Amino acid sequence: MDFNLLTYQTLDSTNEEAVRLYQKGELTVPTVIIANYQSEGKGYGSNFWESAAGKNLTFSITCFPKFIEPSDQFVLTQITSLSLLEVVSEVIRDKQVTIKWPNDLYVADKKIAGVLIRNFVKSNEIDFSVIGVGLNVNQKIFHSDAPNPTSLFIETGQTFRTEEVLTKILQRFSAYMNNLTNQAQRDSINLQYVKNLYRLEQPNRFKDKEGIFTAKIVGIDEFGQLKLVSDDGCERVYGFKEVEFLQD
Ligand code: BTN
């Protein structure tokens, strides 16, 4: 998959710009929208995504993945997380890089990247997908109340060319996309994704609407929901935001 690149100095949010262009009918080919600075970068829920001007990668991959069934849309989360994981772990070799379900990228216990995906479903197909990625590259100090941010610079002491990092991420993402119709490839994506989950198979405290409990992550179901096995041996399955991971 080849991408058209649209680079802006400043945008409110690359995800918002992607949706505006799509709604005006101005996006017809896979396009990556990049901003040097976002004045209203969106995180999950009502969170703000902090990123100092020119220091990091904030971009949205847009594509028309009509061949992905809406019920399989989690695969987009998986391939984005895996592309980020592969690029970041090539650079950070002395610490564990993992995917905190569903799609945060962690270096040990700190968050280095976040992903925000919005899919537009029409006539039971994914008509359009916006995959927003924020990867902290060269930022040294974070000011927002995000609990545990880190960056490639903080982890390695090196400065990176953001465009080179972006090229690597897009190469990996494209390679995954080009092979998605292949079931063996889908199985391998699932395996890789689960294998690289943050705190997989380790006892951890979680909180759901009933309260706090200890459980282990054992995998995901076919919709990408998190499967936990609690202390009492019960399996529990959660959708996003139905369960909260409590740090020790
Ligand atoms: C999260 O809360 O972890 C998701 C963060 C996603 C941030 C990226 S930055 C590029 C794109 N545009 C946005 O406004 N948000 C996403």
Side-chain angles (χ1 to χ4, degrees):
M1 183 174 278
D2 286 328
F3 292 102
N4 202 357
L5 298 186
L6 280 181
T7 306
Y8 295 76
Q9 268 317 309
T10 303
L11 273 178
D12 52 350
S13 146
T14 56
N15 273 26
E16 296 298 309
E17 177 68 4
V19 173
R20 285 192 292 266
L21 293 177
Y22 166 65
Q23 285 171 342
K24 284 193 269 178
E26 288 177 16
L27 283 181
T28 48
V29 293
T31 301
V32 178
I33 299 170
I34 307 149
N36 208 31
Y37 176 67
Q38 295 186 122
S39 54
E40 289 170 57
K42 305 256 178 300
Y44 269 111
S46 52
N47 292 345
F48 167 71
W49 183 256
E50 176 186 355
S51 181
K55 295 284 183 201
N56 302 314
L57 278 171
T58 49
F59 62 96
S60 300
I61 302 174
T62 68
C63 53
F64 307 87
K66 295 183 198 296
F67 60 94
I68 301 174
E69 297 274 320
S71 58
D72 285 347
Q73 56 187 276
F74 191 70
V75 75
L76 290 169
T77 297
Q78 292 178 303
I79 66 173
T80 309
S81 309
L82 286 172
S83 303
L84 289 167
L85 176 102
E86 288 162 17
V87 172
V88 168
S89 41
E90 224 179 63
V91 173
I92 300 174
R93 295 179 171 274
D94 57 340
K95 285 190 185 146
Q96 243 201 332
V97 182
T98 53
I99 299 162
K100 186 170 177 214
W101 178 85
N103 53 16
D104 286 346
L105 198 71
Y106 264 53
V107 178
D109 292 313
K110 296 193 167 163
K111 177 164 166 172
I112 196 163
V115 176
L116 189 61
I117 300 185
R118 187 161 165 202
N119 291 317
F120 292 75
V121 174
K122 258 193 207 162
S123 331
N124 205 35
E125 50 184 33
I126 303 179
D127 187 53
F128 181 62
S129 182
V130 181
I131 301 163
V133 176
L135 171 64
N136 299 329
V137 181
N138 294 318
Q139 190 160 340
K140 298 182 178 135
I141 297 167
F142 291 84
H143 302 282
S144 74
D145 55 2
N148 50 0
T150 191
S151 66
L152 292 181
F153 178 85
I154 292 172
E155 296 299 331
T156 62
Q158 284 171 255
T159 303
F160 293 84
R161 293 176 64 89
T162 50
E163 56 284 16
E164 283 173 14
V165 180
L166 176 62
T167 303
K168 288 186 181 163
I169 296 168
L170 294 179
Q171 276 166 352
R172 288 188 153 81
F173 182 85
S174 289
Y176 277 121
M177 266 303 221
N178 291 342
N179 271 314
L180 276 187
T181 46
N182 173 335
Q183 188 53 46
Q185 167 77 347
R186 290 269 186 125
D187 294 343
S188 140
I189 289 170
N190 260 320
L191 223 65
Q192 283 308 313
Y193 177 86
V194 170
K195 200 177 108 190
N196 285 292
L197 280 176
Y198 178 68
R199 302 203 59 136
L200 178 71
E201 297 283 1
Q202 297 172 41
N204 205 88
R205 285 184 318 125
F206 292 89
K207 186 176 172 196
D208 69 6
K209 59 182 189 328
E210 309 286 315
I212 294 175
F213 60 98
T214 304
K216 287 181 184 173
I217 296 176
V218 293
I220 53 166
D221 72 5
E222 70 266 40
F223 305 111
Q225 302 192 104
L226 189 67
K227 288 205 289 198
L228 302 180
V229 173
S230 52
D231 271 358
D232 53 9
C234 278
E235 185 170 298
R236 307 173 182 219
V237 180
Y238 292 96
F240 186 49
K241 290 290 177 201
E242 289 173 2
V243 68
E244 189 187 334
F245 216 108
L246 301 176
Q247 297 289 358
D248 296 328

